[in-house]
Amino acid sequence: MRIDNLIALRYSRKMRLSGRKSSSYTQRWTQRQCFVLLTLISANLAVFVAQLCVELYQPGFVRDYLGLSDRGVRDAYAWQFVTAMFLHNGPWHLLGNMLVLYFLGRDLESILGQRHFLYLYLAGAVGGELGHLFLMPADSVLLAASGGVAAVLVAYATILPELELTARIFFVVPLRLKAKHLAYGATVLAIVLLCIDRTRTVSHSAYLGGCAAGWLYAHLLGFGRTSFLQRLLQQRRAAAARYERMSIDELMNEEIDPLLEKISVYGLVGLTKKERRSLCKAREKILQKTQSE
């Protein structure tokens, strides 16, 4: 079997796990170089080295001027929204984020394409920053690199929820779990950390906003199962389209006659607000039909 056929088979098998048809934004799953992914990882590494150097020669500068804070927003330090999204709270924080970004980002950039993968990462970073500003105390400072990584994780789980991933605890003990369960765990952990750790310099407060941004961005691109709100909107659109197609006879039999029978028994006070609106709409439609004829 040719390599192209193997790639296509791998692509179709994984995409079926999303529980929904492939989005129109889906790219062909190729083994091309992940340019945006490698650029983001390089940027995070470079910023971390610069962060260490700045802290060495000017302690407190990163926290006061580069991390996102309520004071910085009040003082119009607009650059904090850009600088904070690449800051990490230590080497282990950096290592964990870059491992997740690399192993999940390879497939995700191939699925979404370079442009949407970059937008996803930036949307997660901004979502994490906004979540921090709304949910954390005013005296806290955010090192927000985890927001973009959280968005990548949740978007991956939204697109391929049933895909089994293998991780190694302490690089030794294998742990197999589905992508959706990994996203559930990350979301629960974000909520728990948000409640118990509200210290002055934090990084975890970007998780929750990043998760929300990743889920929303994936759904806007057409991936994942439809949410309750989307199903409700679809039902309303279908009902409105059906109502427009109904003839006068169908309208009388299905909509007006049951309401008239109810009025004859209980009077107008027996109608609900929804039924009164339906009666008014039916009257307007009948008038429009008669005038057009």
Side-chain angles (χ1 to χ4, degrees):
M1 186 180 291
R2 294 179 56 188
I3 296 297
D4 291 343
N5 294 335
L6 287 173
I7 294 172
L9 179 63
R10 174 188 181 220
Y11 166 80
S12 61
R13 184 185 298 121
K14 286 191 174 184
M15 286 308 302
R16 284 200 300 271
L17 296 175
S18 68
R20 192 173 176 183
K21 293 181 180 179
S22 301
S23 168
S24 59
Y25 289 94
T26 302
Q27 307 293 317
R28 180 175 174 81
W29 199 323
T30 61
Q31 293 180 332
R32 63 187 174 191
Q33 185 179 10
C34 296
F35 175 76
V36 174
L37 173 64
L38 297 178
T39 301
L40 289 174
I41 292 176
S42 300
N44 278 278
L45 293 174
V47 170
F48 185 71
V49 173
Q51 178 182 343
L52 294 179
C53 295
V54 171
E55 279 295 312
L56 182 63
Y57 291 100
Q58 191 71 33
F61 183 85
V62 171
R63 184 186 185 282
D64 294 336
Y65 294 100
L66 301 182
L68 182 66
S69 63
D70 187 72
R71 181 181 68 86
V73 173
R74 290 198 308 269
D75 294 343
Y77 294 168
W79 63 83
Q80 289 186 351
F81 284 96
V82 179
T83 56
M85 66 176 61
F86 294 101
L87 297 178
H88 288 84
N89 196 13
W92 290 109
H93 183 210
L94 173 71
L95 178 62
N97 275 346
M98 293 305 100
L99 287 175
V100 172
L101 181 61
Y102 176 73
F103 286 113
L104 301 185
R106 292 179 301 175
D107 285 342
L108 205 55
E109 184 174 348
S110 297
I111 295 171
L112 300 180
Q114 294 177 349
R115 181 165 58 94
H116 281 295
F117 180 71
L118 177 61
Y119 291 167
L120 169 68
Y121 184 89
L122 296 178
V126 174
E129 292 173 340
L130 294 178
H132 169 84
L133 292 176
F134 281 108
L135 299 175
M136 292 295 287
D139 62 344
S140 62
V141 177
L142 175 65
L143 309 181
S146 296
V149 178
V152 169
L153 170 61
V154 172
Y156 190 94
T158 302
I159 296 171
L160 302 169
E162 302 297 330
L163 183 65
E164 283 195 347
L165 303 173
T166 302
R168 291 188 177 273
I169 303 175
F170 302 114
F171 302 99
V172 177
V173 182
L175 175 65
R176 295 179 64 86
L177 71 167
K178 293 182 178 180
K180 63 180 181 181
H181 296 152
L182 181 62
Y184 294 155
T187 305
V188 171
L189 179 62
I191 296 173
V192 171
L193 290 175
L194 200 65
C195 295
I196 65 176
D197 185 7
R198 303 177 72 80
T199 52
R200 299 192 66 189
T201 303
V202 294
S203 57
H204 61 77
S205 58
Y207 292 163
L208 197 58
C211 290
W215 179 87
L216 179 61
Y217 197 91
H219 275 77
L220 289 176
L221 293 183
F223 294 105
R225 298 184 183 277
T226 54
S227 64
F228 170 77
L229 181 60
Q230 289 173 315
R231 290 195 297 270
L232 182 62
L233 292 175
Q234 290 173 358
Q235 291 172 0
R236 289 195 173 187
R237 292 194 192 102
R242 175 180 169 275
Y243 191 84
E244 289 296 326
R245 293 193 301 267
M246 291 174 66
S247 64
I248 297 296
D249 292 336
E250 291 174 338
L251 187 63
M252 291 293 296
N253 293 331
E254 298 182 20
E255 298 288 337
I256 298 179
D257 286 348
L259 295 179
L260 293 178
E261 291 179 4
K262 188 173 182 179
I263 292 174
S264 65
V265 176
Y266 301 103
L268 283 173
V269 294
L271 295 180
T272 63
K273 291 183 178 180
K274 182 178 179 181
E275 290 171 338
R276 293 188 183 194
R277 286 196 299 268
S278 299
L279 195 60
C280 291
K281 286 175 61 179
R283 184 183 63 181
E284 291 174 359
K285 182 170 183 177
I286 292 174
L287 289 175
Q288 290 176 357
K289 288 281 187 180
T290 53
Q291 290 175 359
S292 62
E293 293 175 356

